[in-house]
Amino acid sequence: MATNRTFTMLKPDSVEKGHIGAILEKINASGFRIVAMKLTQMTTADAEEFYAIHNERPFFGELVEYMTRGPIVAAILEKENAVEDFRTLIGATNPADAAEGTIRKLYAASIGENAVHGSDSDENAAIEGAFHFSGREMF
Ligand code: IDP
Ligand code: MG
């Protein structure tokens, strides 16, 4: 059953470039309610666990390095059809392939440094949300 929730991270490049406000504005304007949110920094162990599914990929080391180099904004978002609609809002993994007006088209530099994360299923949204937040931090 769809939970109507998804999980996102505004990745270190978005925080470094001062894009937090603009990206959150776009998320709110697209009808998502913020259920939980915090500025935090992932440790190497955190990033290795969060992205464990990619640990055999050639870019894994680069990905862990990137995701731990500075703070991120982690958030749980709520909207009808949240997972799919948020993936549409962020655009393709590679910003070169992302549709006009999507967050990655607007703010991502490359396939590696691509500004935002969005969960790819309801199941992963629940796992990823629970990775970053306790029940008491959700509204
Ligand atoms: P997604 O974030 O659009 O779901 P995934 O394929 O799940 O994309 O990859 C997770 C993250 O790993 C991407 O968002 C990106 O930061 C990084 N990544 C994916 N493919 C590459 C690549 O070919 N080179 C470098 N980094 C990559
Ligand atoms: Mg993914």
Side-chain angles (χ1 to χ4, degrees):
M1 198 188 77
T3 58
N4 296 332
R5 286 187 176 187
T6 191
F7 172 77
T8 187
M9 296 183 286
L10 312 193
K11 296 181 176 182
D13 53 324
S14 293
V15 177
E16 288 160 9
K17 294 174 182 168
H19 291 156
I20 296 174
I23 294 173
L24 290 179
E25 174 67 29
K26 211 164 164 50
I27 289 171
N28 272 154
S30 303
F32 293 88
R33 184 176 82 85
I34 296 168
V35 174
M37 184 166 70
K38 67 183 167 194
L39 187 74
T40 185
Q41 186 160 354
M42 294 173 96
T43 64
T44 297
D46 288 336
E48 285 174 351
E49 184 182 339
F50 189 92
Y51 284 112
I53 192 162
H54 296 303
N55 64 14
E56 310 272 278
R57 310 283 288 277
F59 58 82
F60 185 66
E62 182 189 323
L63 175 59
V64 170
E65 190 80 9
Y66 159 53
M67 288 303 298
T68 57
R69 77 175 185 219
I72 61 163
V73 174
I76 296 173
L77 306 174
E78 190 170 76
K79 181 187 181 294
E80 204 175 299
N81 203 38
V83 166
E84 193 185 339
D85 287 1
F86 194 70
R87 292 291 300 203
T88 301
L89 178 63
I90 69 178
T93 306
N94 187 344
D97 302 329
E100 284 306 323
T102 59
I103 293 173
R104 282 170 167 168
K105 184 69 171 188
L106 289 165
Y107 300 111
S110 66
I111 190 168
E113 302 211 1
N114 60 3
V116 283
H117 170 80
S119 304
D120 62 6
S121 66
D122 287 332
E123 187 191 2
N124 284 335
I127 292 168
E128 293 170 358
F131 185 90
H132 281 276
F133 295 99
S134 71
R136 267 174 293 135
E137 295 173 292
M138 293 183 212
F139 300 90

